[in-house]
Amino acid sequence: MDARHWDEMYRSRDQVFSGNPNEVLVTETNDLPPGRALDVGCGEGADTLWLARRGWQVTAVDISEVALQRAAAAAVDVEGRVAWARADLTTTPPQAGVFDLVSIHYFPLLRGPGHASLRGLLDAVAPGGTLLFATHALADLAPRHDFDPADYYQPDDIAQLLGPTWNILINEIRPRTAPTPAGTHHTHNAVLRALRLP
Ligand SMILES: C[S@@+](CC[C@H](N)C(=O)[O-])C[C@H]1O[C@@H](n2cnc3c(N)ncnc32)[C@H](O)[C@@H]1O
């Protein structure tokens, strides 16, 4: 799933996602004071805009130029609070140690040798900052000929890699409250919330 794949996916429809922020983001960040956030794989930008409108300074990164253009076009009211960037976050890690929130929602993160891509994202969390990782629960995902869900990190895998400098606050499967997206069987989210100790 390279940049061309994602660009084609976004070009295939005028709007791919609902435009609403992800429910896990809304639930889990309401108690956090605004600071610097990284939206990993920001897509059409709903999470980024929600955070920016609440006073966060957001770095929004995606591999798809089409998605970023669409997101930026919707961001007229948060000018100066969002930095949009095109990058492959599996090969170009974000700036280390500077984000009060690293938000990773439905980002296709393949397991890799030495967990290099994952570690790059974990390292982006500042001391005292929050890692929020949400994805579809494994039980909702059926393997296809070109896709094996077990190849991708689930919260539990990440929790096991976090060392003593992290405090795991949430590692659970929970029912979705948002409607199941058309054509899918997504009924549950898998959620990891962890604090990097100051
Ligand atoms: C399933 S979408 C989720 C979008 C958004 N986070 C949301 O929850 O609506 C995954 C996003 O990750 C982006 N993406 C996939 N691989 C990437 C990579 N290696 N680096 C940066 N972005 C990537 C895709 O372009 C896409 O926008």
Side-chain angles (χ1 to χ4, degrees):
M1 291 195 284
D2 57 6
R4 187 198 292 193
H5 165 92
W6 288 104
D7 278 341
E8 283 173 5
M9 193 274 280
Y10 283 109
R11 273 198 206 98
S12 70
R13 276 182 278 167
D14 289 342
Q15 182 177 345
V16 173
F17 298 110
S18 69
N20 301 319
N22 281 302
E23 64 190 61
V24 173
L25 179 79
V26 173
T27 305
E28 299 301 334
T29 61
N30 258 332
D31 60 340
L32 295 177
R36 287 189 70 181
L38 173 68
D39 188 359
V40 172
C42 64
E44 290 166 327
D47 286 358
T48 290
L49 296 184
W50 187 84
L51 286 166
R53 287 172 184 148
R54 272 150 194 80
W56 289 80
Q57 197 70 36
V58 190
T59 299
V61 184
D62 204 283
I63 200 169
S64 166
E65 191 61 45
V66 178
L68 286 168
Q69 283 173 5
R70 202 172 280 178
V76 282
D77 60 321
V78 290
E79 217 168 294
R81 289 206 292 279
V82 182
W84 305 100
R86 202 196 81 77
D88 180 344
L89 283 167
T90 62
T91 54
T92 307
Q95 195 178 354
V98 297
F99 294 102
D100 304 299
L101 170 68
V102 171
S103 171
I104 310 175
H105 279 77
Y106 311 108
F107 181 72
L109 193 55
L110 268 173
R111 295 169 196 271
H115 311 292
S117 303
L118 172 63
R119 289 200 190 283
L121 298 178
L122 301 182
D123 287 349
V125 181
T130 294
L131 169 72
L132 184 61
F133 181 98
T135 190
H136 302 299
L138 206 49
D140 288 347
L141 299 169
R144 301 186 310 248
H145 72 284
D146 59 346
F147 169 75
D148 183 352
D151 289 341
Y152 295 81
Y153 290 101
Q154 283 281 317
D156 215 27
D157 307 318
I158 300 173
Q160 288 175 32
L161 292 169
L162 298 179
T165 56
W166 292 84
N167 183 10
I168 296 171
L169 303 173
I170 295 170
N171 177 16
E172 67 181 25
I173 310 285
R174 64 169 73 148
R176 284 173 65 99
T177 54
T180 300
T184 75
H185 303 283
H186 303 320
T187 60
H188 286 73
N189 286 312
V191 180
L192 176 70
R193 177 175 173 181
L195 180 72
R196 186 170 190 180
L197 299 179

